Amino acid sequence: MGLTKQYLRYAASAVFGVIGSQKANISYVTLRGGERGRYVAVAACEHVFIWDIRKAEKVLILQGQKHEVTFLCPSPDGVHIAVGYEDGAVRIFSLLNGESNVSFNGHKSAVTVIHYDALGARLVTGSKDTDVIVWDIINECGLYRLRGHKDIITQALFLKDKNLLVTSSKDSFVKWWDLDTQHCFKTMVGHRSEVWGMALLNQENRLLTGSADSELRAWDISYLQEEKAEGEPKVKKGKTLLDDDDGEENDEEVDESPEERILTCKKAGSILREARDRVVSLTTDRKARVIACHGNDSVLELFTVLSKEEVQKKMTKKMKKAKKKAAKAQDDTGEEAAEPVVERMLKDEIIRLTNIKASAKIRWVECLSCAGGELKVALLLQNNTIETYSLKTSDKTPTANKTARLTLGGHRTDVRTLAFSSDNLAILSASGDTVKVWNRSTLQVIRTMACEYALCSLFVPGDRQIILGTKSGKLQIFELASGSLLETIDAHNGALWSLCLAPDQRGIVTGGADKTVKFWEFELIKDQGTGQKRLTVKHARTLQLEEDVLCVKLSPDHRLLAVSLLDCTVKVFYTDTLKFFLSLYGHKLPVLCLDISHDNTLIATGSADRNVKIWGLDFGDCHRSMFAHDDSVMFLQFVPKTHLFFTAGKDKKIKQWDADKFEHIQTLEGHHREVWCLTISPNGDHIVSSSHDKSLRLWERTREPIILEEEREMEREAEFEESMAKGDVPVVPGETQGEAAPAGKKTVETVKAAERIMEALELYKAEARKMEEHKYACERAGKELPPPKPNPILVAFGNVSPSRYVLDVIKKVRSSELEVSLLVLPFPYVPELLTLFNSYIQQGLEVELVCRCLFFLLKIHFGQISSNQMLLSVIDELRTNTLSKVREIRDVMGFNSAALQFLQREIESKEDVMFFTDATGQLEEKKKKRRKRERAILTIA
């Protein structure tokens, strides 16, 4: 098939104009050698931007693929950041180079929460699909999936010292999971509505939850000692009063219910927020000394958690006061008064610090405690802004100072109109409150000017001024050099929907909701104030119509004027006499956009009925009607000097069409919300589009030709792959769906990996057969024949043996996808694999990986393997070999560990220092012992 007509592909070039997306949270990160609290990470559609707050510039972009980012969580060591996406994937990026090497696929829909454990070795993710998955970061694989919640997971937290997990969800429950046995041992049902946020305080002895009302509920957690199993004697060690006490308490609680053996939760009271609506986000700083929370408004409330010493001081003061009062009462009445009792309330331990009023509604908050009692707060606002505040927590009445506000790199509201300058270098974008001019090559803002709600715009010839049409019917003229508003002209009595530059560049045409089309001419007049000449427009003619005007366009030869009206028709008039020429009717809903080709032969119209119609301008005949988008067509423009045009739709897509052949050429996918408008550069090399997701996207024309058949084929393939990944997960025979399940999910990658393993096994079988035949031929000939040629694939991999090749293929499967790939593998391939595994273990190749695969295959195919006589000898050999090899590895590790400990002791004795973790651990032990002693003394007293 020859190339009949060459189309060139447009490719995505950059995303700009977005400061922070609403979908995900904001998070403080530390970059190499950077100070704490200087950089924040936010989502920007499918990417993650790291902003330097002090300089207000982007320092790093973590590139996403296609789906929006929904959650961010930096690792405890600050080197990595885990990013969750709309499709349920999780990727871990390095903050040193911005690359991602680890990715996890387990959720079916958007990730809603991610948290690391204290060491940074495990990751917990919660999702809209109501599952909680725990991942092993070091081995890069999923550990298990925990099912039990009935709605979106809103928070999931590891406990530091115990192997427990606590999760909250919109189903109003908080669940406690024991990760050793992977089951939910406790469900807290004290909430009437969704639990939106949760935090652990007081060394994890208190849980604070925020739900849909103005209360923050606090729960006291007491962990029970696990020393006594049932039926054990009460006093094991000779430990006087203390243990007996604990034992009695324990017994009482054990009687209540079996799940009370790990911990008990008791409501401790609640703190009232000032906001009346739901908690949108609730967070604490690292040490859980400050709590920050906010609702759907612009006020952030900060609370501080007092330390034990401070609470004690407060209680002593209270007691003194009460005693004074009692003494006074005694003096007045003369009676013997009872000893006053002072109760310790929650409001004595958690007190309000201050409120911070942001400039707009808050979407997310992050706190960071710094040296010298300074608290840094970063707010992501709902209008595409980041604000940071700093306050001293040690002050009597702390006041927050705004330290930074990132607004320059984007608009507060959606961009409704775009225009390119005539030299292809500058881009104009205007929204509900500002108009910005961007440099196309650097994507930096050159000018920002305040304007009214803009609906349409253009550069005046010469690119020194711009004109905007506004919702209130005014024309605003700005000068770019000074960035000032030159003039505001009342042009229409309703919204000014459309502006069009006259082809002779001497004036403009405007159409508005007051049912008129007006012609204006450019004029230079002397400014009264400065005496300088400045540009203005003079009203020349008016065309009165029956309906509201939605769009106007002059033909490039200045002969015709096309006007789209609210009655779903497009009327064409002669420009010179304003006489009626044609009426183009056929759309079922109003035409929102239209354009005339460069040679005045075609007019294309896009309508709210989702269709695009192409008409001839000679007789007004409809050449073709095409179903273009799944929602209204918002914008349409011809590529200069061609019959190709682009349309933008509310279905988030931009499409390119051929108006001669009526073909759909390509779809530009990237925006995550409705696309409002686009503009094509005068040379046709660049497109800029704007969308409701607050982003502006630049697309570039590449030199790569598009072949339509291939394009359609690729679309079909992508559709098939998507449907394949959506298929049912293969069932493991004999396993019922319980609370815990495997973490992985079937994706295109896992299916491909299984296919690669199958192909490698087929190749191994074919090679083995070849060698058998060669051996047989040698025997028959009675002499050594030349060996058969090896498979070209083996040669390409450096003449590896077939069995080594199979191992290499298994090694190349991503750790997180290994189990699911083996699950998809049909059973006939398994016996072959088991014999291979045996040979690998004997040779000591990749023992850990082979054991992992082996145990998984034995688990899922247990019935078939155990009933297969042929495999008996293989399994027996495997048993002895595996055990001995694993023992060897364990011995080596034990030896190395002992050697390292010996070295540690040597260093400590030499330098008289103690390694950090041990020191803190020993301190805790000492404290515990002291507390027990104090309790014993109190009991005796």
Side-chain angles (χ1 to χ4, degrees), residues 21 23-29 40-50 60-75 79-95 98-107 109-116 122-127 135 137 672:
S21 291
K23 270 284 177 80
N25 56 326
I26 183 169
S27 182
Y28 275 113
V29 291
V40 292
V42 283
C45 299
E46 69 271 34
H47 306 308
V48 176
F49 287 170
I50 313 280
L60 188 62
I61 298 177
L62 308 179
Q63 297 283 344
Q65 275 142 2
K66 181 175 156 193
H67 297 278
E68 274 184 287
V69 174
T70 55
F71 205 87
L72 310 169
C73 178
S75 64
V79 178
H80 296 96
I81 185 166
V83 181
Y85 293 89
E86 184 72 54
D87 63 338
V90 177
R91 290 169 72 198
I92 294 176
F93 288 89
S94 159
L95 287 173
E99 285 173 14
S100 154
N101 301 324
V102 183
S103 68
F104 298 131
N105 266 310
H107 291 293
S109 53
V111 176
T112 53
V113 62
I114 302 178
H115 269 286
Y116 279 89
R122 287 177 305 174
L123 193 69
V124 61
T125 59
S127 158
W135 306 91
I137 291 176
H672 300 288

Side-chain angles (χ1 to χ4, degrees), residues 617-686:
L617 260 184
D618 301 334
F619 313 106
D621 53 327
C622 180
H623 289 184
R624 181 64 65 95
S625 177
M626 300 183 288
F627 181 72
H629 290 269
D630 298 334
D631 209 331
S632 306
V633 182
M634 296 305 291
F635 203 85
L636 185 154
Q637 192 180 346
F638 275 101
V639 178
K641 304 192 175 53
T642 66
H643 278 189
L644 310 177
F645 64 93
F646 279 92
T647 58
K650 272 191 175 178
D651 61 355
K652 316 174 192 173
K653 293 185 176 73
I654 297 166
K655 295 186 180 180
Q656 189 186 16
W657 309 83
D658 185 341
D660 293 330
K661 299 215 161 142
F662 317 119
E663 296 247 39
H664 168 214
I665 301 166
Q666 68 166 335
T667 304
L668 305 180
E669 289 191 46
H671 283 295
H672 300 288
R673 296 281 176 287
E674 302 89 330
V675 184
W676 297 132
C677 59
L678 58 86
T679 178
I680 304 175
S681 63
N683 60 10
D685 280 344
H686 296 90

Side-chain angles (χ1 to χ4, degrees), residues 83-192:
V83 181
Y85 293 89
E86 184 72 54
D87 63 338
V90 177
R91 290 169 72 198
I92 294 176
F93 288 89
S94 159
L95 287 173
L96 302 176
N97 53 16
E99 285 173 14
S100 154
N101 301 324
V102 183
S103 68
F104 298 131
N105 266 310
H107 291 293
K108 293 186 188 70
S109 53
V111 176
T112 53
V113 62
I114 302 178
H115 269 286
Y116 279 89
D117 68 353
L119 277 175
R122 287 177 305 174
L123 193 69
V124 61
T125 59
S127 158
K128 276 189 180 169
D129 63 10
T130 76
D131 288 351
V132 176
I133 302 183
V134 180
W135 306 91
D136 179 349
I137 291 176
I138 295 162
N139 197 15
E140 297 178 17
C141 68
L143 293 173
Y144 33 79
R145 177 190 304 267
L146 302 171
R147 296 198 178 103
H149 282 295
K150 299 276 184 292
D151 208 334
I152 295 173
I153 310 294
T154 54
Q155 185 62 291
L157 301 167
F158 283 109
L159 270 71
K160 274 199 186 73
D161 309 324
K162 304 198 164 39
N163 198 15
L164 304 177
L165 177 74
V166 56
T167 58
S168 67
S169 160
K170 273 176 70 177
D171 61 8
S172 84
F173 297 137
V174 172
K175 284 182 180 285
W176 289 85
W177 306 84
D178 182 350
L179 297 183
D180 293 326
T181 55
Q182 293 135 46
H183 79 288
C184 170
F185 65 86
K186 186 174 191 61
T187 301
M188 289 163 60
V189 291
H191 300 90
R192 292 269 171 282

Side-chain angles (χ1 to χ4, degrees), residues 526-534:
K526 230 180 195 166
D527 194 300
Q528 271 94 28
T530 58
Q532 299 280 324
K533 282 197 169 180
R534 67 170 176 82

Side-chain angles (χ1 to χ4, degrees), residues 909-935:
S909 61
K910 261 191 204 138
E911 302 184 6
D912 202 30
V913 292
M914 195 179 267
F915 273 80
F916 181 67
T917 47
D918 300 359
T920 47
Q922 283 181 6
L923 192 70
E924 286 297 308
E925 283 296 308
K926 273 183 189 162
K927 272 189 187 165
K928 264 187 196 161
K929 278 181 187 162
R930 191 164 68 234
R931 265 185 236 132
K932 272 201 162 180
R933 265 208 308 280
E934 280 166 9
R935 249 186 19 214

Side-chain angles (χ1 to χ4, degrees), residues 585-598:
Y585 54 89
H587 282 291
K588 294 184 179 62
L589 288 169
V591 172
L592 303 176
C593 48
L594 57 90
D595 199 11
I596 299 173
S597 65
H598 68 104

